[in-house]
Amino acid sequence: MAVIEVKNFKKCFGDKVVHEDVSFYVKKGECLGLVGGSGTGKSVLLRSLIGLEKPDGGTIHINDREVSNLKESDWIDLRKTVAYAFQGGALFDSMTVYQNLAYPLNEHSHLSQSEISTRITSQLNDFGLAGTESLYPSEISGGMQKRVGLARAMMLEPEVILYDEPTAGLDPYNTKRIQELILKLKAKGVTAILVTHDMPTAFAVCDKFAFLKDKVIKEQGTTEQLKNQPNSLIHQFVEGNIL
Amino acid sequence: MNNLIAYSFKEWLTDQLYFLGGLVYLTRDCLREGFKKPHNTKLLVEQIYQVGYRSFPLVLVTSGAIGMVMALQFGYGLEKFGGKPYVPRLVASTILREIGPMFTSLMFAARVGAGIASEIGSMVVTQQIDAIRALGSSPIKKIVIPRVLACLIVLPLLAAMANVIGNLGGLVVGSLELNIDAQFYYRRIIETSNIKDYMSGFGKTFFFALFIAIPSCYFGLNVKNGTQEVGVATRKAVVTSSLLILIGDFFLAKIFWVLEKWL
Ligand SMILES: Nc1ncnc2c1ncn2[C@@H]1O[C@H](COP(=O)(O)OP(=O)(O)OP(=O)(O)O)[C@@H](O)[C@H]1O
Ligand SMILES: [Mg+2]
C-alpha cells in the first residue's frame, strides 16, 4: 500500500512554474531518495506534502486520504503523523534546545514532565548533542541547529518523515550518526522521503530514487537498478556531468 | 499619466481590499480558535509581561507630561477670564474622555504594534511559523491569540493608569505653577468628573486594543520575501493601527455620546 502517492502534481509561484507534472509513490516502510539540482523544487515538493504549500494541480494522497485540498485545521491532526525536518532547522529562537524538543511533546503527548525530560536527554545523546539543553539556537553551530531540528521532527515518532537535506553541512562523523538514526527509524517501519546530495547516505538508506529536473521527474528506479546503470541520469547528476 | 494614476489607484484599492479581507479572516480564525481548548495561560502571561509591564514607563511619562502641559495651557489661557478654577474640570474631562486613552493607545501602537509585527514577521522569514504548523499546532493559537488577548487586557489597564497619572500631572502643575490649592484641585476633579466621562474614554480602549493587535499580527504573518519586508510590515502596522485609532476614535466618541443620551 502506498503511504504517499502524488499524481500530476503541479505547483507555481505567480508566473513561475516549479513543478509541471510530478508523480510518484512511496510504500509503507520505504525510503524514496529525491535528487535534483538546486532550485528544482525539492523543498517545495516536501512542503506541499505536509500542507505548507498549496498545490496548483494534481492530487496528493497520504494513507489513502486526499490531502491537497485539506483545511488547515485538518492538517493539524495529520501533521502529528507526518513530520518534516526543515532544511534550515527552523528552530524557535526564543526557546532553548530543550524547549524546542519539548514543544511537540507538550503539544501532542500526555507524558509527564519527567518522562519528557528523559526522552529529550536520550534524544540529545542519540544526536550527539548532550549538554546543549539550556543553549539557545543562536548559541549553537549551524550543523548543531540542523541536528536539533531533525531531533525535534523525530520526537513524536511519526509514521512518515520528510528529510530535507539532513546531512548537508555535517562532518563525516555526524553524517554517519544521522545515517544510522535514519536507518534505525526505517527498521521500525517509518516511511520516508530523503532529499539529499549526499549519495553515500542516500545509497545506504533509500530503496528507490526519483530524479527531479525540468519541472518533472525525469528518472525513477530502485537502488539496485541504479547501481547497475552507470549511464543513468542520476549517476551523471551525482558525478557532476549534468544539472 | 491618467492611466498611471488610475493604475496605481486600482492597485492601492486592491491592496486595501486584500487587507480588509485578511483582517476579517484573521478575526474569524481568532474567534474560532480562541474558544477551542486547551487554553494556554502561560503564553498569555508571558505576553502580558512583554506587552504591558514594559510599556508602563512610556505611558507614565507620556500621560504625566500631557496632564502637566494641559494644565499649564488651560491655566494661562483662562487666567485673563478668571477661569482658573475650571482648570481641574477641563483637564480631567479632556483626559478621561479623549487624551488619556487616545495617547496611551497611540504610544501603545508605536511600541507594541511595531514589536508584534516585526517579531511575527521575523518568525515567518526564519520559517518558525512554518515550523509551528509543521509540528501540528496553530500559529493563530500559539502566536496571534495570546498577543491579541494581552493587548485587550493591558491597554485598558494602561489607559486607566494614564488617566490617573495625567490628572496627577495636572494637579502638580496646577498647585505649583498656577497656585491652585491642591486640595481644591483634587476635590474639583472628583466632584466634576463622572463615571460617564470615564467610561466613554475607557470603553474605547478595548476597540483600540483590537485596532492595534489584529492589523499588527496580520502584517507580520503576511511577510513573504525576507528581512526587508519585516521593516515594511512594521511600518504598516504602526501607520495602520494609528490611523484606525484616530479615525475610530471619532466614530466611537459619537457612538458613546448617543449611548449616553439614551442611558
Ligand atoms: N515562496 C516562494 N515564492 C516564490 N518562489 C518560490 C518560493 N519558494 C520557492 N520558490 C521557488 O521555487 C523553486 C524551488 O525552490 P526549492 O527551495 O524547492 O528548491 P530546492 O530544490 O529545494 O533547492 P535546494 O537544493 O537549493 O534546497 C526556486 O526556484 C524558488 O525560487
Ligand atoms: Mg531545498
Side-chain angles (χ1 to χ4, degrees), chain B residues 159-189:
Chain B
M161 279 188 277
N163 284 341
V164 174
I165 294 160
N167 277 307
L168 208 65
L171 190 145
V172 169
V173 168
S175 64
L176 294 183
E177 278 284 319
L178 306 173
N179 299 318
I180 305 175
D181 177 47
Q183 289 229 321
F184 170 78
Y185 194 112
Y186 175 74
R187 249 186 300 119
R188 288 294 291 165
I189 299 179

Side-chain angles (χ1 to χ4, degrees), chain A:
Chain A
M1 189 184 91
V3 172
I4 302 172
E5 184 163 26
V6 177
K7 272 192 189 146
N8 312 112
F9 173 80
K10 188 171 181 208
K11 177 72 197 169
C12 321
F13 289 104
D15 295 337
K16 182 176 173 157
V17 182
V18 180
H19 300 290
E20 186 89 63
D21 182 4
V22 169
S23 306
F24 64 89
Y25 65 87
V26 191
K27 286 199 207 141
K28 175 139 188 58
E30 255 184 0
C31 178
L32 168 75
L34 188 61
V35 278
S38 190
T40 47
K42 304 179 297 294
S43 298
V44 169
L45 187 55
L46 292 194
R47 288 167 59 82
S48 307
L49 290 179
I50 191 167
L52 296 178
E53 306 281 356
K54 272 237 171 300
D56 294 302
T59 58
I60 299 173
H61 284 86
I62 293 180
N63 281 329
D64 284 331
R65 181 171 177 201
E66 156 70 329
V67 296
S68 47
N69 290 316
L70 227 51
K71 279 190 308 209
E72 183 70 16
S73 49
D74 295 322
W75 268 114
I76 286 184
D77 273 332
L78 199 60
R79 288 180 189 135
K80 291 171 202 166
T81 51
V82 186
Y84 174 48
F86 284 82
Q87 190 168 358
L91 300 181
F92 302 124
D93 57 17
S94 59
M95 298 184 190
T96 61
V97 168
Y98 183 93
Q99 289 166 333
N100 264 285
L101 295 190
Y103 184 93
L105 295 178
N106 283 329
E107 284 294 295
H108 302 301
S109 77
H110 299 288
L111 299 176
S112 70
Q113 286 309 313
S114 70
E115 285 168 308
I116 289 181
S117 163
T118 325
R119 279 255 201 122
I120 291 176
T121 311
S122 89
Q123 187 84 330
L124 285 174
N125 279 330
D126 286 350
F127 281 82
L129 292 162
T132 56
E133 286 87 342
S134 56
L135 299 178
Y136 284 90
S138 59
E139 297 169 329
I140 59 179
S141 74
M144 287 161 101
Q145 289 179 17
K146 188 140 199 159
R147 280 180 283 153
V148 176
L150 198 56
R152 188 180 64 183
M154 292 178 176
M155 219 59 214
L156 280 177
E157 305 182 337
E159 288 169 30
V160 180
I161 303 190
L162 312 172
Y163 302 101
D164 203 342
E165 307 201 13
T167 56
L170 297 188
D171 56 63
Y173 179 77
N174 278 305
T175 303
K176 201 168 143 213
R177 202 176 339 224
I178 298 297
Q179 187 178 322
E180 277 159 11
L181 284 166
I182 295 177
L183 280 171
K184 208 165 103 188
L185 286 184
K186 195 179 164 202
K188 285 189 188 164
V190 172
T191 311
I193 297 182
L194 173 66
V195 167
T196 190
H197 298 301
D198 165 16
M199 288 332 268
T201 301
F203 278 123
V205 173
C206 300
D207 304 289
K208 58 181 189 180
F209 284 90
F211 179 52
L212 202 56
K213 182 177 158 63
D214 301 335
K215 301 169 189 149
V216 295
I217 295 206
K218 271 268 151 86
E219 192 175 79
Q220 295 200 51
T222 63
T223 310
E224 282 307 304
Q225 285 169 344
L226 272 183
K227 279 183 179 158
N228 302 329
Q229 288 177 1
N231 290 328
S232 69
L233 288 174
I234 295 185
H235 265 288
Q236 293 183 45
F237 172 75
V238 170
E239 277 156 23
N241 298 329
I242 56 165
L243 186 65

Side-chain angles (χ1 to χ4, degrees), chain B residues 13 33 39 52 64 71 88 146 167 170 189 208-209:
Chain B
L13 198 67
E33 296 196 24
H39 302 294
N167 277 307
I189 299 179
F208 292 164

Side-chain angles (χ1 to χ4, degrees), chain B residues 19 102-111 113-114 208 210-213 215-216 219 234-250:
Chain B
F19 168 64
M102 172 79 138
F103 266 84
T104 311
S105 303
L106 286 175
M107 293 318 255
F108 200 74
R111 193 186 173 284
F208 292 164
L210 294 176
F211 292 168
I212 295 167
S216 303
F219 285 119
T234 309
R235 193 190 66 216
K236 278 187 182 168
V238 176
V239 171
T240 308
S241 37
S242 306
L243 283 178
L244 282 175
I245 290 169
L246 291 165
I247 297 167
D249 185 45
F250 173 78

